[in-house]
Amino acid sequence: RLKPFSRLQVILQHVKMSEHTDLTAEVLLEKRGGAGIITLNRPKALNALNFSMIQQIYPQIKTWEQDPETFLIIIKGTGGKAFCAGGDIRAITDAGKVGDRLAEDFFRGEYALNNAIGTCKKPYVALIDGITMGGGVGLSVHGRFRVATEKTLFAMPETAIGLFPDVGGGYFLPRLPGKIGYYLALTGFRLKGRDVLKAGIATHFVESEKLPALEKDLIALKSPSTENIVDLLNSYHVKSKVDQEKEFILDEHMEKINSLFSANSMEEIVKNLKQDGSPFAIKQLEIISKMSPTSLKITLRQLREGASMSLQDVLTMEYRLSQACMRGHDFYEGVRAVLIDKDQSPRWKPASLEEVSDEFVDNCFKPLGNNDLKL
């Protein structure tokens, strides 16, 4: 048995360690006032979401949801550059290559977390300051409030790495005005600042430097109702004048986006763009031609089907697609070309849309039996 003195030393050592790890923790979870606060804390990795972060955030949201003293949940990122630039793609790639469980567990955990946010009974406020892509969109877009700033940079760039806009993209993208969601999903187009609000992705716009004050005011609310939170967010939103006069960046192209991207197949979309021949259409053709043909076909069907599904059914469908991508070729090749070797010239297999058969796409959407995602 430990002598009393050494036992105390062990305890002190432990206390010291936990104090130390808290500052270096990948995600900080704290209760301040009536608010539960989630801080993504991997600034060097642009707050990319990894598996251990998912495992910490999910149970905390569930706990706060049950706690009568927690009235709202705030999520934000550290470092000033990003809210969350995406999921930990490198780790998933390494796992998928060797058939490691992480390639299943990560997506399972991430989609369960997306669903927890989408069904959260407490008002959920995401401060999407800086880069917000892929997995970062999943951590914010399904919540009740999304506050963009002039530094917000939104994109779903997955078709460029042989994936598809997951994390519930099949739910929220087809529900954006017109065919904006289809356009964003297929081309990976980046929206900045107030345009994230105008596209219907953010609910509010507040200057970046005002976020600490907004957070303080949210924390200070006494037993607030959702209406109180709305009023506070609105008051900040109304005062924000940055880029107020600028028109939505896609405004001049909306008519074309709505007509060209409403086709039933990728081949038709490409045909539409070729026939249109405008500078805008030619540019989109160029962008689409660089994307994984398999990803493009999966994505178009994902959005068309997701448009009339519940969030839970969309996430179940997307889990099937994620596992199809883990079994396939293009995801590993896309990650190699974009993130590892950075030569930006992926060699897709199949290399053309025509070679991606309907039968292959159908297979990606097939149920996984006992391995299906259960929400």
Side-chain angles (χ1 to χ4, degrees), residues 106-351:
F106 181 90
F107 290 105
R108 229 180 249 285
E110 185 179 29
Y111 298 176
L113 176 54
N114 300 147
N115 185 53
I117 293 165
T119 56
C120 187
K121 292 181 184 68
K122 300 282 163 86
Y124 182 96
V125 183
L127 305 177
I128 53 171
D129 190 31
I131 301 164
T132 304
M133 295 185 185
V137 176
L139 288 177
S140 53
V141 79
H142 305 297
R144 179 73 191 266
F145 305 108
R146 287 90 62 191
V147 182
T149 74
E150 73 281 3
K151 290 177 20 191
T152 305
L153 177 62
F154 165 97
M156 293 299 274
E158 289 82 0
T159 55
I161 57 162
L163 212 52
F164 58 96
D166 64 335
V167 297
Y171 183 79
F172 83 88
L173 288 163
R175 285 167 171 78
L176 295 176
K179 292 287 171 186
I180 292 180
Y182 290 79
Y183 173 69
L184 295 173
L186 296 168
T187 66
F189 185 80
R190 297 174 170 206
L191 290 171
K192 295 185 182 118
R194 213 177 263 274
D195 286 334
V196 179
L197 173 81
K198 291 180 175 163
I201 293 152
T203 57
H204 294 81
F205 181 89
V206 173
E207 273 98 348
S208 184
E209 61 180 51
K210 299 270 170 43
L211 288 182
L214 169 61
E215 189 183 332
K216 213 171 138 193
D217 285 349
L218 283 167
I219 291 166
L221 290 170
K222 295 276 174 262
S223 322
S225 64
T226 303
E227 282 62 45
N228 300 143
I229 294 165
V230 170
D231 291 344
L232 181 59
L233 289 169
N234 286 347
S235 71
Y236 271 83
H237 173 78
V238 174
K239 287 186 211 133
S240 292
K241 300 288 179 256
V242 177
D243 291 342
Q244 212 175 16
E245 306 310 311
K246 270 181 148 170
E247 70 162 43
F248 180 42
I249 191 162
L250 294 175
D251 253 0
E252 53 175 320
H253 306 301
M254 270 325 294
E255 226 172 287
K256 282 203 190 303
I257 287 172
N258 291 341
S259 63
L260 300 170
F261 285 85
S262 62
N264 298 330
S265 71
M266 269 320 298
E267 287 90 342
E268 270 179 83
I269 289 175
V270 167
K271 200 175 106 189
N272 287 349
L273 290 166
K274 281 182 177 158
Q275 280 176 344
D276 183 276
S278 64
F280 174 76
I282 289 164
K283 192 172 177 206
Q284 305 323 307
L285 267 176
E286 202 181 302
I287 292 165
I288 283 173
S289 71
K290 293 191 172 87
M291 304 303 185
S292 154
T294 301
S295 290
L296 290 168
K297 285 206 167 174
I298 286 175
T299 298
L300 182 59
R301 175 153 162 200
Q302 170 206 2
L303 266 55
R304 288 172 60 83
E305 296 202 0
S308 57
M309 286 171 138
S310 69
L311 176 60
Q312 292 71 37
D313 288 344
V314 165
L315 290 166
T316 302
M317 163 178 79
E318 290 179 357
Y319 182 73
R320 293 167 185 169
L321 297 176
S322 76
Q323 297 312 295
C325 290
M326 292 302 106
R327 293 191 302 268
H329 165 273
D330 280 8
F331 171 63
Y332 304 100
E333 174 58 14
V335 170
R336 180 204 66 73
V338 176
L339 299 176
I340 297 171
D341 300 342
K342 298 188 174 154
D343 57 27
Q344 311 302 328
S345 23
R347 294 179 286 281
W348 304 123
K349 277 183 198 158

Side-chain angles (χ1 to χ4, degrees), residues 19-189:
E19 272 175 21
H20 172 72
T21 43
D22 272 348
L23 297 175
T24 56
E26 299 173 320
V27 59
L28 308 172
L29 303 161
E30 54 187 328
K31 180 81 193 303
R32 298 207 338 246
I37 301 170
I38 302 165
T39 308
L40 309 172
N41 191 34
R42 295 181 71 206
K44 288 197 175 83
L46 299 175
N47 299 324
L49 183 67
N50 65 26
F51 190 48
S52 78
M53 291 161 79
I54 293 167
Q55 287 176 300
Q56 292 171 71
I57 298 169
Y58 179 87
Q60 187 62 74
I61 287 178
K62 291 296 185 191
T63 303
W64 281 332
E65 201 173 16
Q66 299 304 318
D67 175 27
E69 299 302 303
T70 304
F71 297 96
L72 74 152
I73 296 171
I74 298 170
I75 186 168
K76 60 180 182 167
T78 52
K81 279 193 184 153
F83 164 66
C84 170
D88 192 355
I89 295 291
R90 290 296 267 286
I92 302 164
T93 312
D94 296 342
K97 278 183 187 158
V98 296
D100 187 295
R101 279 286 309 261
L102 181 71
E104 292 174 34
D105 294 346
F106 181 90
F107 290 105
R108 229 180 249 285
E110 185 179 29
Y111 298 176
L113 176 54
N114 300 147
N115 185 53
I117 293 165
T119 56
C120 187
K121 292 181 184 68
K122 300 282 163 86
Y124 182 96
V125 183
L127 305 177
I128 53 171
D129 190 31
I131 301 164
T132 304
M133 295 185 185
V137 176
L139 288 177
S140 53
V141 79
H142 305 297
R144 179 73 191 266
F145 305 108
R146 287 90 62 191
V147 182
T149 74
E150 73 281 3
K151 290 177 20 191
T152 305
L153 177 62
F154 165 97
M156 293 299 274
E158 289 82 0
T159 55
I161 57 162
L163 212 52
F164 58 96
D166 64 335
V167 297
Y171 183 79
F172 83 88
L173 288 163
R175 285 167 171 78
L176 295 176
K179 292 287 171 186
I180 292 180
Y182 290 79
Y183 173 69
L184 295 173
L186 296 168
T187 66
F189 185 80

